[in-house]
Amino acid sequence: MKVRVLGCSGAIAKDCRTTSFLIDDNILIDAGTGVGDLTLEEMSKIDHVFLTHSHLDHIAALPLMLDAVTSMRSAPVRVHALSGTIAALQAHVFNDVIWPDFSAIPSAHQPFMRYHTIRTGQQINAGGILIEALPALHTVPAVGYAVRGADGWLAFSGDTGRNPAFWTRVNALPVALLIIETAFSNREVELANRSLHLSPSTLAEELTNILPGQRYPIYITHAKPSETGLIMEEIREFEVHMPQGFTAPHNIRWLQAGQKFVV
Ligand SMILES: [Zn+2]
Ligand SMILES: [Zn+2]
């Protein structure tokens, strides 16, 4: 399975794009502004979009992408999300005010986009790729995702605060790669706690949930561009003090837009 990071920033600026990962050629995990790096032809191949939640940084490019590829596709783009996320998209985005209702045009019978409701814990086979919705705790209904590759699972936290249920499931999977958010620095820990995001101090506590003996590369995503340097410094700081046997410092890395993995 090929994974290409299209965006992994917590906000936009030059060279900063918000969350989106391309799986093989036809699946998107989230549709943040990173989608804008795909060529029109690449975009037209997207058959499945799995959304973690309704926040704008994770859906911003979805309406524009659908519009861009309508004339190039014969089958609807399948948008997989929790019912609360779909309800938010219907009410606030594809509402014929902000953007047309692509689930009803050109006809309800053969639309450009089709919603597929998922539940936390559910596994979906998307054209041969198995994807599981993982628990996430955020200010709106949210999930993370685990995607099965040949060498194990890619686990992605989505946007989340402290999340014991995530680790219960992740510890039961043969994980090849973990992508976990750290949106704020410790300076903003109160804001992080209130907005249900992680900061380096809560990330450190979360990572102690990984079972002893389990080791895999950990990539940090969703940092605010203005705080990226500080967040990494704070992570380097706690890595030194992690419980014995947990992880070597080199195991925690910074996710980069444009980065590619084979899992
Ligand atoms: Zn969010
Ligand atoms: Zn976000």
Side-chain angles (χ1 to χ4, degrees):
M1 172 178 85
K2 289 180 296 173
V3 181
R4 179 175 154 198
V5 179
L6 301 175
C8 55
S9 175
I12 61 161
K14 185 178 184 325
D15 299 329
C16 294
R17 305 152 178 84
T18 68
T19 308
S20 185
F21 308 136
L22 177 66
I23 308 293
D24 286 340
D25 296 325
N26 62 337
I27 299 169
L28 285 182
I29 305 286
D30 276 338
T33 66
V35 172
D37 275 8
L38 294 175
T39 65
L40 195 55
E41 203 198 332
E42 287 171 327
M43 258 187 241
S44 72
K45 291 181 182 158
I46 305 296
D47 294 319
H48 300 271
V49 181
F50 287 82
L51 297 174
T52 56
H53 64 301
S54 59
H55 281 161
L56 191 61
D57 53 324
H58 300 257
I59 63 149
L62 179 63
L64 298 167
M65 180 187 88
L66 291 168
D67 187 45
V69 300
T70 49
S71 65
M72 301 170 75
R73 290 183 55 85
S74 51
V77 175
R78 292 161 174 261
V79 175
H80 307 264
L82 293 172
S83 59
T85 306
I86 291 172
L89 289 174
Q90 289 171 321
H92 304 297
V93 180
F94 297 102
N95 57 7
D96 291 324
V97 178
I98 297 295
W99 210 240
D101 180 2
F102 277 74
S103 70
I105 57 171
S107 70
H109 173 64
Q110 189 67 283
F112 291 131
M113 163 182 74
R114 214 186 278 280
Y115 295 113
H116 292 265
T117 306
I118 60 166
R119 284 170 288 100
T120 304
Q122 189 180 347
Q123 292 191 339
I124 299 106
N125 185 329
I129 297 283
L130 195 61
I131 301 184
E132 179 173 325
L134 299 174
L137 287 171
H138 201 37
T139 53
V140 292
V143 290
Y145 286 108
V147 189
R148 191 176 67 182
D151 302 329
W153 292 71
L154 160 71
F156 170 45
S157 67
D159 284 14
T160 189
R162 302 289 309 273
N163 186 6
F166 176 79
W167 298 107
T168 302
R169 183 60 188 136
V170 164
N171 282 335
L173 290 172
V175 173
L177 181 76
L178 170 67
I179 299 176
I180 187 164
E181 75 124 284
T182 308
F184 293 102
S185 70
N186 286 333
R187 198 174 55 186
E188 307 265 28
V189 68
E190 265 182 41
L191 183 57
N193 290 343
R194 207 165 356 113
S195 57
L196 291 176
H197 280 293
L198 297 175
S199 66
S201 59
T202 45
L203 173 72
E205 290 169 43
E206 283 298 280
L207 294 183
T208 60
N209 288 306
I210 297 174
L211 291 178
Q214 286 208 11
R215 288 170 67 88
Y216 38 76
I218 297 166
Y219 285 84
I220 304 300
T221 187
H222 208 296
K224 295 277 175 218
S226 58
E227 298 217 300
T228 300
L230 181 57
I231 292 170
M232 209 59 206
E233 250 172 60
E234 290 173 347
I235 288 174
R236 291 276 165 258
E237 183 78 6
F238 83 64
E239 263 187 306
V240 178
H241 306 291
M242 285 305 280
Q244 198 206 347
F246 158 68
T247 182
H250 63 266
N251 264 9
I252 300 182
R253 302 164 204 184
W254 205 248
L255 197 64
Q256 311 270 359
Q259 203 162 3
K260 292 178 182 174
F261 302 96
V262 177
V263 180

